[in-house]
Amino acid sequence: MKTNKNCVIRLSRYKNALYRLKSLGFVKIFSDNLADAVGVTATQVRKDFSQFGISGTRKGGYQIDDLINNLNRLLGKDEIHKVVVAGIGNIGTALLNYKGFEKESIKIIAGFDINTVKQNAAGEIPVFPIAEMENFIRQNQIKIGVIAVPDFAAQQIADTMIQAGVKGILNFAPMRLHGPENVVINNVNLVLELENTIYFANAVIKTGVVGQLTASAQPDGV
Amino acid sequence: MKTNKNCVIRLSRYKNALYRLKSLGFVKIFSDNLADAVGVTATQVRKDFSQFGISGTRKGGYQIDDLINNLNRLLGKDEIHKVVVAGIGNIGTALLNYKGFEKESIKIIAGFDINTVKQNAAGEIPVFPIAEMENFIRQNQIKIGVIAVPDFAAQQIADTMIQAGVKGILNFAPMRLHGPENVVINNVNLVLELENTIYFANAVIKTGVVGQLTASAQPDGV
DNA sequence: TATTATATGTTCTTTTTTTCACAACATTGG
DNA sequence: CCAATGTTGTGAAAAAAAGAACATATAATA
């Protein structure tokens, strides 16, 4: 199958929206409702589902529970994913505190920081010295790491993670990280997001309307 | 001119990379170097620049300072942009503490929180009760707001901001916000980013390589 | 059970984005 | 001053993504 990256990202959004709709009491849904909720066209929704072999019934639309199950399966949520976080500053702390991961089968099992004040081996999610990260990753066979350290330290942390066997990195440091072909690095740059927001807002202020933006995020491999 | 959204986002990335390269001592740069630094092709870099009327010299490449100036101008960095942040939790605090905005002409001038413990009118960046936000935005003619409150409160905060005159919102709450056509809402969903990373990492683990992902982020207007 | 209204699944088009290829031009060295 | 080298800028081609349209299936209804 041709794996379309934007498509996968949309799948995540669908799932997200479906959880919300479900919590509102909906049981079934039509492509155009879901399209509205996510901000794409109904055709796109159907096409995405079709591409991944998800089908509904020709007049009844889609069962939300079925959809969620299918999406979870596709997105790999039928197994628990263990994640470690390097850098327990504000963003790292936010992630450690966030309660919304469990239903996604994501479990942050440890944090690492160089600052002894942040360390706390007895916490609900323990925080260890960064020197212990490599061993920890190896021993627990962690495949996903989050980098929330200052930029100057980021590449080194990434290298360590990769060396220890991590295959996916979510990077919040404001720089592009490099790694081998078989590791996915997803960069989220908050400054950049704010800048873009400002740019488009300015465009709106000057021209009236920008229309529907559907711009690029940045899972960039390597 | 046809404003290509992805293109604008790449411009931000170029600028980012250029600052880094400059700090490393580089003075001029070629399209392929920059392409490497950002993770696109050299042609793409030249075409983007061309589209926005930025030019280099045929054998000397581009002067980094010129580029940065041009990009800043294009991205609206020749004026200071005042920003307010609603919700001084972990992410809100991270933004308030971040020192990298100044060189981008972005200035976070106030935070707002419902929790009196977070409030501190005398701080370097003052934090006021959320009830004062609307007036503050009006009086200071703020055009950009950041939402870092829990999901259930997000839409209401957005409505208030928009009512007060905000034209661009950067939303960290894990849900799609709605607003009128002439307001840009840029959603950054950290859970979703982590999920996507996991998905693509799994793909790597199973198939060996995903190749260069260039997937979508989501400035979605409305 | 037959009929009708409605939503899907898919093909075909259109649009957008990216890449290729190369002419034009600047710099460097003889 | 000329040739050799190397990089830009851009039009044309290719690829990818999104959208429109419609045939087909199915739920509801009588």
Side-chain angles (χ1 to χ4, degrees):
Chain A
M1 182 200 308
K2 175 79 170 324
T3 310
N4 179 321
K5 287 95 190 182
N6 292 37
C7 180
V8 171
I9 287 163
R10 282 196 301 271
L11 292 189
S12 277
R13 297 221 169 91
Y14 297 148
K15 181 171 60 59
N16 238 268
L18 287 167
Y19 273 120
R20 269 217 321 289
L21 291 163
K22 183 180 174 179
S23 77
L24 292 172
F26 288 88
V27 172
K28 68 177 189 178
I29 195 172
F30 303 124
S31 57
D32 57 342
N33 303 138
L34 189 52
D36 272 1
V38 175
V40 299
T41 64
T43 303
Q44 181 101 78
V45 171
R46 297 201 297 274
K47 199 165 228 176
D48 286 341
F49 287 172
S50 159
Q51 191 152 143
F52 285 89
I54 298 175
S55 57
T57 56
R58 292 248 169 172
K59 185 164 178 187
Y62 304 85
Q63 296 295 316
I64 289 189
D65 279 332
D66 281 4
L67 275 184
I68 290 178
N69 288 341
N70 268 306
L71 291 171
N72 277 340
R73 180 178 48 76
L74 284 169
L75 296 169
K77 293 295 154 22
D78 43 356
E79 47 192 308
I80 300 250
H81 294 288
K82 294 177 291 184
V83 176
V84 297
V85 176
I88 309 302
N90 291 296
I91 291 177
T93 305
L95 291 170
L96 259 54
N97 288 341
Y98 187 68
K99 299 304 174 199
F101 287 127
E102 273 126 46
K103 73 164 188 283
E104 315 290 347
S105 313
I106 296 172
K107 193 163 172 55
I108 297 178
I109 66 167
F112 297 91
D113 203 291
I114 201 168
N115 185 342
T116 51
V117 174
K118 304 291 180 73
Q119 295 162 14
N120 171 19
E124 190 185 350
I125 298 174
V127 177
F128 301 115
I130 204 115
E132 297 176 14
M133 186 179 72
E134 186 165 356
N135 267 335
F136 188 96
I137 290 173
R138 250 187 248 283
Q139 283 174 8
N140 293 277
Q141 303 207 15
I142 309 293
K143 297 297 172 211
I144 308 290
V146 176
I147 293 182
V149 301
D151 51 0
F152 59 83
Q155 183 66 56
Q156 197 195 329
I157 297 285
D159 293 344
T160 306
M161 283 181 171
I162 292 167
Q163 184 137 25
V166 158
K167 293 299 178 194
I169 292 178
L170 179 57
N171 171 43
F172 289 98
M175 58 175 303
R176 180 181 163 78
L177 297 181
H178 293 273
E181 277 256 309
N182 62 344
V183 174
V184 173
I185 300 181
N186 184 7
N187 296 289
V188 174
N189 186 329
L190 301 185
V191 178
L192 219 131
E193 296 294 342
L194 188 48
E195 277 183 54
N196 288 336
T197 308
I198 291 173
Y199 176 87
F200 289 115
N202 267 338
V204 163
I205 290 168
K206 286 177 196 155
T207 68
V209 172
V210 178
Q212 186 81 5
L213 307 184
T214 303
S216 116
Q218 157 159 32
D220 51 16
V222 173
Chain B
M1 183 199 307
K2 177 82 169 322
T3 310
N4 179 323
K5 287 99 191 181
N6 291 36
C7 180
V8 170
I9 286 162
R10 282 196 302 270
L11 293 188
S12 278
R13 297 220 170 92
Y14 298 149
K15 181 170 62 55
N16 237 269
L18 287 166
Y19 273 120
R20 268 214 325 287
L21 291 164
K22 182 180 175 181
S23 76
L24 293 172
F26 288 88
V27 172
K28 69 177 189 179
I29 196 172
F30 302 125
S31 57
D32 58 340
N33 304 137
L34 189 52
D36 272 2
V38 175
V40 299
T41 64
T43 305
Q44 180 99 252
V45 171
R46 296 202 298 274
K47 195 150 236 180
D48 285 343
F49 286 173
S50 158
Q51 190 153 143
F52 284 91
I54 297 175
S55 57
T57 57
R58 293 249 169 174
K59 188 166 179 183
Y62 304 85
Q63 296 295 316
I64 289 190
D65 279 334
D66 281 4
L67 275 185
I68 290 179
N69 287 341
N70 268 308
L71 291 172
N72 277 340
R73 180 178 48 76
L74 284 169
L75 295 169
K77 294 294 153 23
D78 44 355
E79 47 192 308
I80 300 248
H81 294 287
K82 295 176 290 184
V83 176
V84 297
V85 176
I88 310 301
N90 291 295
I91 291 178
T93 305
L95 291 170
L96 261 54
N97 288 341
Y98 187 70
K99 299 304 175 199
F101 287 127
E102 273 125 46
K103 73 166 188 284
E104 316 289 346
S105 315
I106 296 172
K107 193 162 171 54
I108 296 178
I109 65 167
F112 296 90
D113 203 291
I114 202 168
N115 185 342
T116 51
V117 174
K118 304 290 179 76
Q119 295 163 14
N120 171 19
E124 191 186 349
I125 298 174
V127 177
F128 301 114
I130 203 116
E132 297 176 13
M133 186 179 73
E134 185 165 357
N135 267 335
F136 188 97
I137 290 173
R138 250 186 247 284
Q139 283 174 8
N140 294 276
Q141 304 206 17
I142 308 293
K143 296 297 172 212
I144 309 290
V146 176
I147 294 183
V149 301
D151 52 0
F152 58 83
Q155 183 66 56
Q156 198 196 329
I157 297 285
D159 293 345
T160 306
M161 282 182 172
I162 292 167
Q163 184 137 23
V166 159
K167 292 299 179 195
I169 291 178
L170 178 57
N171 171 43
F172 289 98
M175 59 174 302
R176 181 181 163 78
L177 297 180
H178 293 272
E181 277 255 310
N182 62 345
V183 174
V184 173
I185 300 181
N186 184 8
N187 296 290
V188 174
N189 186 329
L190 301 186
V191 178
L192 219 129
E193 297 293 343
L194 188 49
E195 276 182 53
N196 288 335
T197 308
I198 291 172
Y199 176 87
F200 288 116
N202 269 338
V204 163
I205 290 167
K206 285 179 200 155
T207 68
V209 170
V210 178
Q212 184 81 6
L213 306 184
T214 304
S216 118
Q218 165 162 32
D220 53 16
V222 172

